[in-house]
Amino acid sequence: MARASAASRAFVRRKTSRRSVPRTRRRRAATADAVERPPSYEAQVLQALEVVIDPDLGASVVECGFVKELQVDPEKGSVSFALELTTPACPVKEQFETEAKDAVMRLPWAKSVDVTMTAQPSSPGLAAGTPASLSKVSNIIAVSSCKGGVGKSTVAVNLAYSLQMMGAKVGILDADVYGPSLPTMVSPEHDLLEMEQETNLIKPVEYMGVKHCSFGFTGQGAAVMRGPMVSGLISQLLLSTDWGELDYLLIDFPPGTGDIQLTLCQSAPITGAVIVTTPQKLAFIDVAKGIKMFAKLAVPCMAVVENMSWFEGDGNRYYPFGTGSGDRIVEDFSIPYIFRMPIVPDLSLSSDSGLPLVLSKPSGDVARAFGEVGAAVVRESAKLKRAVKNAVRYDSEMNVLVVKIPGKSEEFLLHPPDVRRNDRSASSVDEWTGKQLVKPSDIPETIRPESVQPLGNYAVQITWDDGFNQVAPYTQLEEMERLIPPKGYKFEPKEEANASSARQILENAEAIKQK
């Protein structure tokens, strides 16, 4: 306790013992006396774009670093730039384009605005240790029900094609080897998996722009084998398939909460889960078990799809299985979205025919409903990836680790040497006896983190300046003794030097103009 308190006092001393006016503040004060010049045309454009806010990330397109390739011709009054979004399936890209044009056209000298919409998918959630086959996959989405017969596979396939129709690169893994559904629900021309001779990876089956992998495409039908063998088979299908570059890989989970589900969650950095249920109370009981399983494995649940919720007849809406199950899941587990799917004969007929309904009737009500589910997945994926990315960062100026656990609003500070001393890996603690192998005195106060990378939704990997790599779970960081922030300390992360070309232009506009 004394050492932690001393660290806290030292942190406060380091802050208060600095010069009363920071260097950057003095520099700004010095230039304030100079003759004020109007901002450059580039800066004016970026200032105008500050009003275009990403509703999901809660920040402007400038702050998010979306504005690229900005070019201005003040004589012609022309402006051109690209808005590089985090995913090509962004549900508000048309809104961004319209708002950006309107914002720039309000500048008195602007006569024409050309906006190019592009996308650069974010890196996978698991920055270190990602299997090679998943290294180019940006988001992995689990579609789960933990109960059979609720239409989970129908939801998974139609959701996959909804995301593909929104412009994303999509793949889907059918993880139910006892009763694979994909061979019935899609009709690829080549319906057998093949092994690439050069890479020894499985080449997925492609149909209508989506990559598919299922035990049903091996030509062996359903599997008859014991649990451990099934878990190994599913891991092979997931990790030995050449998925290539994907924005979203959907995994159609089999029912239950056993070895297979645990293997999938532990084998891949799953971004989040979509829960499929029906209105019955019995479905709620099983789905609740699945949500609790995901919670223990640090996989957030993005949305609930209540399937077979209602049907219409004689101008009235009927609820044959009752109501309330989906609402209770949302309320009990604080899941942000719920979507109620109707009982539609065309939906089951299309699944049996091998052509998903969102493809056969892309302008129908069901396709629009699945489009809303896809939009929710895109939004929640972006928010989760942003939260994970900013969960732990190193403030080199103050020599502290700034922590904000994903899903929680509180931020706190940790002393870097304390984090290193708290390592619980086999390098620091004997796995059999629990004996501490590394003494606190072995870790110098001068040790510093060189990099901090997210490990899925549950931990970060810290590389220290002595070459040691430490995996620090969020639960462990949350339990550590914290530093006392000095008065006025700002928790907002400072932008990286190359994080946003737009922000660089905005900050350096005057210097560029003076040259």
Side-chain angles (χ1 to χ4, degrees):
M1 295 291 291
R3 177 173 53 78
S5 301
S8 302
R9 291 194 297 272
F11 173 66
V12 175
R13 280 202 304 273
R14 284 197 296 273
K15 176 68 177 176
T16 56
S17 64
R18 291 181 179 271
R19 298 173 183 175
S20 58
V21 181
R23 187 174 301 173
T24 53
R25 195 174 299 170
R26 290 201 310 274
R27 183 157 52 242
R28 291 175 183 169
T31 57
D33 296 332
V35 177
E36 290 191 7
R37 297 180 177 85
S40 68
Y41 290 101
E42 290 85 355
Q44 291 181 50
V45 171
L46 293 172
Q47 288 169 352
L49 290 173
E50 291 277 6
V51 302
V52 183
I53 304 297
D54 186 312
D56 301 310
L57 302 181
S60 74
V61 293
V62 177
E63 184 180 352
C64 292
F66 293 166
V67 184
K68 308 288 184 180
E69 303 174 9
L70 175 59
Q71 295 183 356
V72 177
D73 188 336
E75 295 183 359
K76 296 181 179 180
S78 63
V79 179
S80 66
F81 56 89
L83 285 180
E84 187 180 78
L85 307 179
T86 57
T87 171
C90 177
V92 291
K93 54 186 174 184
E94 290 82 7
Q95 175 186 334
F96 277 158
E97 183 176 3
T98 301
E99 291 183 358
K101 286 183 177 179
D102 293 344
V104 177
M105 283 301 294
R106 284 194 285 268
L107 293 172
W109 51 267
K111 297 179 181 179
S112 66
V113 181
D114 181 21
V115 181
T116 302
M117 303 301 295
T118 63
Q120 180 61 52
S122 56
S123 59
L126 192 61
T130 303
S133 61
L134 300 175
S135 61
K136 296 181 181 179
V137 177
S138 294
N139 299 280
I140 301 178
I141 309 298
V143 181
S144 174
S145 66
C146 301
K147 182 173 180 60
V150 299
K152 169 183 53 60
S153 295
T154 300
V155 170
V157 171
N158 282 277
L159 174 57
Y161 280 98
S162 295
L163 291 168
Q164 189 269 341
M165 293 166 68
M166 294 167 69
K169 297 176 182 178
V170 183
I172 181 169
L173 170 67
D174 182 358
D176 191 349
V177 301
Y178 292 124
S181 302
L182 275 183
T184 303
M185 304 183 73
V186 296
S187 305
E189 183 178 353
H190 302 287
D191 58 358
L192 287 176
L193 297 174
E194 298 177 354
M195 182 74 74
E196 293 280 1
Q197 297 298 324
E198 296 182 359
T199 61
N200 289 326
L201 293 176
I202 300 170
K203 183 180 179 181
V205 170
E206 292 198 35
Y207 178 65
M208 304 293 283
V210 173
K211 296 180 180 181
H212 301 268
C213 186
S214 169
F215 186 75
F217 290 134
T218 63
Q220 301 182 42
V224 180
M225 58 183 71
R226 296 186 183 276
M229 295 178 64
V230 173
S231 298
L233 176 59
I234 291 177
S235 293
Q236 185 177 7
L237 290 175
L238 173 64
L239 304 179
S240 298
T241 297
D242 185 10
W243 294 108
E245 185 176 330
L246 294 179
D247 298 302
Y248 301 93
L249 172 60
L250 273 62
I251 302 180
D252 182 4
F253 269 51
T257 56
D259 289 343
I260 298 172
Q261 290 76 16
L262 293 174
T263 297
L264 285 167
C265 289
Q266 293 169 351
S267 299
I270 296 179
T271 306
V274 174
I275 306 300
V276 184
T277 186
T278 53
Q280 300 101 311
K281 181 179 179 181
L282 186 60
F284 166 81
I285 294 172
D286 288 339
V287 168
K289 294 177 183 177
I291 295 175
K292 292 175 181 177
M293 175 196 73
F294 282 123
K296 290 182 179 179
L297 297 170
V299 176
C301 293
M302 298 175 164
V304 170
V305 176
E306 187 180 78
N307 211 15
M308 297 179 279
S309 182
W310 52 271
F311 71 91
E312 290 185 344
D314 303 324
N316 297 315
R317 181 170 290 189
Y318 299 93
Y319 300 87
F321 302 115
T323 60
S325 174
D327 289 326
R328 185 175 173 187
I329 291 172
V330 170
E331 293 172 4
D332 288 2
F333 299 102
S334 301
I335 298 176
Y337 295 96
I338 180 171
F339 301 93
R340 294 179 174 85
M341 296 295 175
I343 300 173
V344 180
D346 287 346
L347 188 58
S348 59
L349 290 174
S350 63
S351 298
D352 294 340
S353 68
L355 182 65
L357 187 59
V358 297
L359 293 179
S360 61
K361 294 185 177 181
S363 58
D365 292 340
V366 174
R368 282 194 291 271
F370 276 110
E372 292 177 3
V373 180
V377 168
V378 171
R379 292 190 183 100
E380 288 303 300
S381 296
K383 287 195 287 187
L384 288 168
K385 298 295 277 297
R386 187 179 178 89
V388 169
K389 181 180 179 182
N390 297 325
V392 180
R393 61 183 176 85
Y394 177 55
D395 185 338
S396 57
E397 181 180 348
M398 303 306 301
N399 186 30
V400 292
L401 285 166
V402 185
V403 183
K404 183 178 181 181
I405 306 298
K408 300 186 178 182
S409 59
E410 181 188 19
E411 288 184 274
F412 55 89
L413 307 177
L414 296 177
H415 190 45
D418 287 347
V419 175
R420 172 62 183 279
R421 294 176 182 125
N422 208 43
D423 179 56
R424 292 294 179 266
S425 68
S427 300
S428 302
V429 179
D430 188 288
E431 295 182 79
W432 297 102
T433 65
K435 181 182 178 181
Q436 192 78 27
L437 302 178
V438 178
K439 300 177 181 178
S441 58
D442 295 336
I443 307 300
E445 283 290 318
T446 56
I447 198 164
R448 301 288 184 270
E450 288 189 343
S451 68
V452 181
Q453 299 290 339
L455 283 174
N457 298 313
Y458 68 94
V460 291
Q461 178 170 292
I462 305 174
T463 300
W464 299 93
D465 56 11
D466 63 353
F468 183 75
N469 288 316
Q470 175 183 357
V471 174
Y474 295 139
T475 52
Q476 179 181 313
L477 297 177
E478 200 170 14
E479 294 172 355
M480 289 184 59
E481 199 159 4
R482 306 173 182 183
L483 296 175
I484 302 172
K487 186 176 181 181
Y489 180 80
K490 294 184 178 181
F491 281 91
E492 292 83 358
K494 298 173 183 177
E495 295 192 45
E496 299 176 7
N498 298 317
S500 167
S501 60
R503 177 63 67 182
Q504 292 178 36
I505 294 174
L506 190 60
E507 292 179 347
N508 300 315
E510 278 302 316
I512 295 173
K513 182 176 177 64
Q514 291 174 17
K515 290 181 180 179

